[in-house]
Amino acid sequence: MVRIGAFLVGLFFSGWLLISFLFGAAAFVSDPPQATVEHEFHRDPKHVSFSFEGPFGKYDRRQLQRGFQVFKEVCSACHSLKFVAFRDLQQLGYSEAEVKAIAKQWAIKTPDVDPKTGEASTRDPVPADHFPKPFANNVAAAAANNNAIPPDLSLMTKARHHGSAYVYSLLTGFQPQPAELLKEFPDAKTPEGLHYNPYFANLNLAMAPPLTADGQVTYGDGTKPTVDQMAQDVAAFLTWTAEPKLENRHRAGVATVLFLLIATALAYMAYQNIWAEKKKAV
């Protein structure tokens, strides 16, 4: 009796799912989803190659230092790196003295409390501090950026599909709205105060083009600071902030694969040796 009841319950739910599927398919055919401006004009990230891609990829320390320079001189005015400490920069090849100097000379002071009076104050950052936020709070950030709060960039390349390429594409993707877009979607004109970028999810974002001309940053290693180069460098730097242990993972992955291959070969040879006599007997 219990089995019959269970069968009937299962049959009921299976039938209900089938009916729902048929109704959904009929609705899709009779009233297909309408094309939207985002689906029509949103673009996948551009193809760009980085040294850290692939199972054997490694960070280019010189590129990371250039990317940090771009962040410091261009991006840090609006964006934060709340999960990165100044002392982490030693992983990029900076010495301890250089890291101390970078922290002390940082344009934004670190909030503190006066131990004598208990009043709020500020001080120069030290290597143990995380990068300070450029704004006191979200209200101040929104007021300075057309009511948009600039996101923290520490994990940005992990938060976006094809993160490194996404950052590069976004920084180099600002352009006027295509005439065909306005012709097909007259109401999709970019609102005043926003900027058209086909690599952004809804095509319009509050951030103005941050990299506007070649030579905006002067590289100390002699690399020509074109917009394309600066975008690649800061994308690489933000990949490092999100995955500082990427090279360790690559090394561990290669070692694990080699171990598994050797273990598999040994196991197979042991199998052949142990069962050789049994097979002959059979």
Side-chain angles (χ1 to χ4, degrees):
M1 191 68 181
V2 175
R3 291 184 177 179
I4 296 175
F7 174 76
L8 293 176
V9 171
L11 184 64
F12 169 77
F13 281 106
S14 299
W16 187 260
L17 287 174
L18 179 61
I19 292 172
S20 298
F21 172 78
L22 293 176
F23 272 103
F28 181 85
V29 172
S30 60
D31 186 20
Q34 300 298 313
T36 64
V37 61
E38 290 86 359
H39 285 94
E40 290 289 326
F41 290 90
H42 182 264
R43 299 290 177 263
D44 291 329
K46 302 176 183 178
H47 175 73
V48 57
S49 296
F50 291 99
S51 64
F52 48 79
E53 295 177 335
F56 303 102
K58 294 183 178 180
Y59 285 124
D60 180 347
R61 262 52 185 182
R62 292 178 61 185
Q63 182 178 48
L64 296 184
Q65 290 188 13
R66 294 195 302 268
F68 168 65
Q69 187 177 350
V70 175
F71 173 82
K72 177 183 177 182
E73 298 185 20
V74 180
C75 310
S76 64
C78 298
H79 295 279
S80 58
L81 287 177
K82 65 181 180 181
F83 295 118
V84 183
F86 285 102
R87 63 187 173 192
D88 294 334
L89 295 177
Q90 292 186 50
Q91 298 177 31
L92 307 189
Y94 291 106
S95 67
E96 184 177 351
E98 289 174 324
V99 171
K100 288 182 178 179
I102 290 171
K104 186 175 182 179
Q105 296 168 5
W106 198 255
I108 305 165
K109 303 300 181 183
T110 297
D112 200 3
V113 176
D114 190 325
K116 296 181 180 179
T117 64
E119 296 181 354
S121 63
T122 59
R123 59 172 173 79
D124 291 331
V126 298
D129 290 323
H130 286 200
F131 283 82
K133 296 180 180 180
F135 302 101
N137 50 51
N138 287 343
V139 175
N145 292 278
N146 195 28
N147 290 323
I149 301 174
D152 180 82
L153 299 182
S154 304
L155 305 176
M156 183 55 67
T157 58
K158 289 181 72 69
R160 298 291 184 271
H161 192 51
H162 299 304
S164 306
Y166 167 80
V167 171
Y168 166 78
S169 301
L170 191 73
L171 292 175
T172 58
F174 290 93
Q175 56 188 266
Q177 274 191 306
E180 57 182 310
L181 182 152
L182 296 177
K183 182 178 180 180
E184 187 173 350
F185 301 94
D187 297 331
K189 184 176 181 180
T190 298
E192 185 177 354
L194 300 183
H195 307 272
Y196 179 78
N197 192 316
Y199 300 99
F200 193 63
N202 66 2
L203 306 181
N204 303 301
L205 70 165
M207 181 178 72
L211 302 176
T212 56
D214 295 348
Q216 191 170 341
V217 172
T218 302
Y219 286 143
D221 63 1
T223 301
K224 188 175 180 180
T226 62
V227 170
D228 186 85
Q229 183 67 57
M230 290 186 289
Q232 288 190 45
D233 293 342
V234 76
F237 171 71
L238 293 178
T239 302
W240 171 79
T241 64
E243 298 189 86
K245 304 298 184 183
L246 178 141
E247 292 174 327
N248 292 341
R249 289 197 299 103
H250 285 178
R251 285 192 289 267
V254 171
T256 301
V257 170
L258 290 176
F259 170 79
L260 291 175
L261 289 174
I262 294 172
T264 301
L266 291 175
Y268 177 75
M269 288 187 289
Y271 164 78
Q272 293 288 80
N273 185 57
I274 292 172
W275 290 95
E277 295 299 327
K278 300 291 184 181
K279 290 181 178 180
K280 289 180 181 179
V282 173

